[in-house]
Amino acid sequence: MPKVRGRSLRVLFSVEAIAQRNIELAGEIAASGYRDLLVVSILKGSFVFAADLIRALHGAGLAPEVEFISLSSYRTGTTSTGKVKLIRDVESDVAGRDVLIIDDILESGRTIAFAKKLMHRRGARKVAVAVMLDKPGKLAQPLKAEHVGFVCPDLFVVGYGMDVAHAFRELPYVAVVEDKPPRSGRAGVRGSRARIRDGKPRRGVPGSRRESRGRAGYRSRREP
Ligand code: IMP
Ligand code: MG
């Protein structure tokens, strides 16, 4: 089990599995017949996936333009408030173009729904979605990603761009933080205060997402 920041990590999706899947996804996207393709990567969480996927797209014979949008979803504890905020917009005109939105995880679907609506409102011809991970059964509204890397169990995952309080993004694989954080000091994740509320430790069923978020020092506000 790899150890990073003094924490044991259980690898869910390995470097090799991700690399293989990206090639397959790129083939799938290339076969979908998108025209005048503009790829829009949702920052920050999707930056690693997007970097690998666009290179795989090149390998599959596509030559897309690549853009970035920065969106923030606000949460109280582990519950999404449903508010998504535009932090940084794309610079390109999307009217008449096929847009492929890339994100790390499809969970409630609010972040992607916001981005899709924005692209449609601006006159995109077609808007499709590619996500690295799909967490089924969590949707707040009907939404389907056209291209999915992996179906992910209902656990809080880190790595491959995904973070907890901006930590663990550098991992080349997707993992779950398994062990308890150190009792004091900053050896674990920044923001360890978030683990203790009103002097009481946060609760969660072992292995549940709530518990893994607590263990990893999950904060109430985070970026997609
Ligand atoms: P939603 O689909 O709008 O609920 O938000 C999905 C976003 O929440 C993703 O883009 C991630 O940034 C974040 N997110 C959801 N689940 C996880 C997780 O397990 N680890 C890290 N970030 C997550
Ligand atoms: Mg995200």
Side-chain angles (χ1 to χ4, degrees):
M1 218 179 243
K3 228 173 180 176
V4 177
R5 292 173 169 263
R7 317 286 298 274
S8 293
L9 302 173
R10 178 162 56 93
V11 177
L12 286 188
F13 303 106
S14 69
V15 172
E16 297 75 20
I18 292 171
Q20 177 58 35
R21 190 68 193 121
N22 280 338
I23 293 169
E24 291 165 8
L25 273 182
E28 203 182 289
I29 292 166
S32 298
Y34 299 120
R35 287 188 291 159
D36 190 18
L37 187 62
L38 174 68
V39 165
V40 175
S41 158
I42 302 183
L43 297 175
K44 303 173 184 141
S46 81
F47 80 107
V48 177
F49 175 47
D52 282 348
L53 187 61
I54 58 172
R55 284 177 288 180
L57 290 178
H58 168 76
L62 293 187
E65 284 176 18
V66 181
E67 264 273 24
F68 301 90
I69 193 169
S70 190
L71 300 178
S72 237
S73 58
Y74 290 85
R75 291 173 186 248
T76 314
T78 55
T79 321
S80 169
T81 60
K83 279 191 207 116
V84 179
K85 201 172 147 199
L86 178 63
I87 306 292
R88 181 205 176 271
D89 207 342
V90 293
E91 289 163 10
S92 307
D93 184 4
V94 304
R97 306 195 64 175
D98 284 359
V99 175
L100 179 67
I101 292 171
I102 299 188
D103 205 1
D104 51 358
I105 302 190
L106 174 59
E107 196 180 58
S108 74
R110 290 188 179 104
T111 309
I112 290 172
F114 181 97
K116 276 187 88 170
K117 213 153 110 192
L118 197 65
M119 297 300 131
H120 278 303
R121 234 181 19 229
R122 291 176 181 171
R125 194 182 79 89
K126 198 183 217 175
V127 184
V129 174
V131 289
M132 164 71 186
L133 302 176
D134 184 6
K135 283 188 184 173
K138 314 286 291 181
L139 287 176
Q141 55 203 287
L143 199 154
K144 202 174 169 315
E146 282 75 6
H147 311 283
V148 174
F150 300 95
V151 173
C152 182
D154 189 14
L155 296 167
F156 193 78
V157 296
V158 297
Y160 203 62
M162 291 169 278
D163 71 308
V164 55
H166 303 292
F168 298 114
R169 291 196 203 271
E170 77 284 9
L171 305 177
Y173 44 75
V174 176
V176 177
V177 180
E178 284 285 66
D179 57 0
K180 288 207 166 69
R183 291 196 70 178
S184 62
R186 292 168 55 88
V189 179
R190 280 188 297 132
S192 54
R193 250 181 318 156
R195 285 189 294 271
I196 312 264
R197 285 249 182 96
D198 310 313
K200 291 183 202 136
R202 295 177 69 183
R203 280 158 209 266
V205 180
S208 72
R209 191 169 114 199
R210 181 170 185 170
E211 199 239 5
S212 7
R213 280 182 176 177
R215 279 183 302 185
Y218 174 73
R219 275 176 162 181
S220 60
R221 180 190 172 280
R222 63 198 168 83
E223 305 80 25

